[in-house]
Amino acid sequence: MNSNINIREITKSDLPSLFALFKEFTVFEKRPEALKNSIERMEKEQDLLKGFVVENDAKELVGYVTWYPAYHTWTGKALHLDDLYLQPDYRGIGLGTKLIQKVIDLAKEQNCYKVKWQVSHWNESAKAFYRGLGAEISNIEESCDLIIE
């Protein structure tokens, strides 16, 4: 295990490695066919790609968290945490907490009232992790996606 872990904002030079992590995440989520993104699309849309990456001693990306600004009618200004992923060897050592805390701290700096995200129904370890942070996990809503091609 690498002892010198760096968490920093996503940069353009990260895109190929970040895309590889996106692929890994879709496999972990049991939905590799759902990945419609590409490095080319990421380059074109980089101004919308907000997040932090985890870099090991060898300067390899081993995890990330992405977010975007949102407005919720019931609470107001918010950040929506899109994805949080760490490679298996980097789980269980506090990096997930550090990543999500970066998003929470940013939300506080930006005077947001809420950080919102989703978790897969089957992912009990993630649910336990989020509950440990004080998050409320609701089964009231379900995701709706409409892919526009």
Side-chain angles (χ1 to χ4, degrees):
M1 179 58 54
N2 296 297
S3 59
N4 187 21
I5 298 292
N6 184 33
I7 298 176
R8 59 171 176 75
E9 287 188 32
I10 293 170
T11 65
K12 184 174 181 170
S13 64
D14 294 327
L15 298 185
S17 296
L18 193 56
F19 185 70
L21 288 173
F22 290 176
K23 285 182 182 178
E24 285 181 32
F25 186 51
T26 64
V27 171
F28 173 79
E29 285 286 320
K30 305 171 183 151
R31 299 195 60 227
E33 74 287 349
L35 184 62
K36 307 298 183 202
N37 208 348
S38 67
I39 295 172
E40 295 75 24
R41 184 179 288 179
M42 291 167 67
E43 288 171 348
K44 282 191 244 177
E45 301 169 348
Q46 188 182 354
D47 59 324
L48 297 172
L49 179 57
K50 306 292 183 196
F52 302 100
V53 292
V54 179
E55 191 176 62
N56 67 13
D57 280 348
K59 303 291 184 199
E60 300 163 327
L61 299 190
V62 298
Y64 69 91
V65 63
T66 53
W67 59 268
Y68 56 87
Y71 191 86
H72 292 276
T73 57
W74 292 9
T75 57
K77 187 176 179 180
L79 286 185
H80 187 98
L81 189 157
D82 186 43
D83 285 336
L84 188 155
Y85 176 74
L86 287 165
Q87 290 179 328
D89 289 347
Y90 294 87
R91 296 180 193 152
I93 58 172
L95 291 174
T97 302
K98 287 181 180 178
L99 277 175
I100 202 165
Q101 192 60 54
K102 293 278 281 183
V103 176
I104 293 166
D105 291 345
L106 181 65
K108 289 176 182 177
E109 287 172 24
Q110 295 186 2
N111 297 313
C112 294
Y113 298 99
K114 173 163 74 172
V115 177
K116 183 173 180 144
W117 63 94
Q118 297 166 296
V119 61
S120 296
H121 293 289
W122 58 265
N123 196 340
E124 294 302 326
S125 64
K127 288 180 185 181
F129 170 67
Y130 296 142
R131 282 187 189 104
L133 295 171
E136 176 186 327
I137 299 176
S138 166
N139 62 358
I140 295 172
E141 299 176 15
E142 295 195 25
S143 295
C144 299
D145 292 324
L146 175 64
I147 304 296
I148 302 171
E149 302 268 350

